[in-house]
Amino acid sequence: MIRVLMLLSWATSIGGSAVECTTVTELISFCTTFISNGSPDPYPGTPCCEAVTNLYMMTHSTDNRRSLCGCLMGLVTANNSNSTAIATLPGFCGVPLGFTIGPDTDCNLYRSVTMSTQSGGNVALKGE
């Protein structure tokens, strides 16, 4: 319960400003076991996936999406030996961040665009 409250406070603390990399690092720390041991085992687990979900909640604006992308790319660079595990987190947790985490990712290309689909879901589009 305390962990969920901490995650929610981090997610709501960013408001309309760009995502802080310290916040991203703190949230990703819930995924340390998965990142250290690589993928596919062990599965990231609930605390990690809740953290990734909170990262997704931060992508409501173009600036936030680009900031989050940049922070995650910084973590990938800093943890090169574990970069694959970091890149697979959104997929394992079923959370679409709206961008790909990879060596060729250009975070400046991503913008936050939400469109309704016929099924009532939302689609995030890649900018130009």
Side-chain angles (χ1 to χ4, degrees):
M1 178 67 165
I2 292 174
R3 184 179 347 213
V4 172
L5 292 174
M6 287 175 26
L7 291 172
L8 288 174
S9 70
W10 280 322
T12 58
S13 68
I14 61 158
S17 63
V19 175
E20 295 288 330
C21 289
T22 55
T23 301
V24 173
T25 301
E26 289 169 357
L27 286 169
I28 291 295
S29 72
F30 286 96
C31 304
T32 301
T33 301
F34 178 79
I35 292 169
S36 297
N37 296 321
S39 61
D41 292 318
Y43 182 78
T46 301
C48 175
C49 288
E50 287 174 351
V52 174
T53 299
N54 279 289
L55 291 175
Y56 169 74
M57 292 169 49
M58 295 178 186
T59 63
H60 65 276
S61 73
T62 298
D63 287 342
N64 283 12
R65 184 172 300 250
R66 288 178 180 166
S67 293
L68 174 61
C69 178
C71 293
L72 287 172
M73 292 309 298
L75 286 173
V76 165
T77 301
N79 297 287
N80 193 37
S81 62
N82 300 325
S83 62
T84 300
I86 294 170
T88 60
L89 280 171
F92 271 109
C93 293
V95 179
L97 295 180
F99 54 86
T100 303
I101 302 169
D104 298 325
T105 299
D106 182 352
C107 296
N108 292 317
L109 296 178
Y110 295 99
R111 60 188 169 100
S112 180
V113 177
T114 304
M115 294 181 1
S116 293
T117 63
Q118 289 180 344
S119 63
N122 292 324
V123 177
L125 299 176
K126 181 177 171 180
E128 296 180 352

